Amino acid sequence: MEQRIGSGSQPLEGAGFDPAFIPGLTSPASVAPKGAKKEDAAGKADSEETALDDADEPGTEAADDIDDADDDAEDAVDEADEADAPVDGPVFEAADRRARIVVDHKGVRLTLDDQECEFRWDEIGAIETETPRFGKRYTVTVHTPDRRWYPIEIEATARSSFKEWDEQLDAVLDAYFEDGAEAAEESDAD
């Protein structure tokens, strides 16, 4: 009789033991800090290296290149400040531990956990709200002209906040949603 040394069982294979077993399944992407961008950091390092290399050679204008890069960086910061500048007008914002909705001059932004979508005012066909008879979940649904809808539920701390949220959302929709419709009608009339 022949005896084998070691285990007689074969290792198990499959998705339960090896996630790479399923083709196309990838690991989640790593999250970089919000302020840092890979491309900016790499580009900045490359420009510094070329500036140092140019400075070693006589007769080059490395200082001018550095000044131009500084001016471009300042212009980019100024544009970002203008984009983030607060706009006078109503803003609706509601959030709970998982979901968040922001409606302002830019449009509607929905966030659920780590998923986010943004709609400009020209991409929105209608916005619908729903409050349950019982419970504390406030539902906002964004409808697009291509017959798609995107609902999000916000859990309120108290049912009394539903009325307040409806009033705030109506004020924002009156200010921005109708303006877009009127501007579209004026351009059609021309």
Side-chain angles (χ1 to χ4, degrees), residues 7-21:
S7 175
S9 64
Q10 296 294 324
L12 296 174
E13 292 183 7
F17 297 97
D18 183 14
F21 186 77

Side-chain angles (χ1 to χ4, degrees), residues 37-49:
K37 292 184 180 176
K38 292 179 185 177
E39 297 169 359
D40 292 343
K44 191 173 183 179
D46 291 341
S47 65
E48 289 174 358
E49 288 176 10

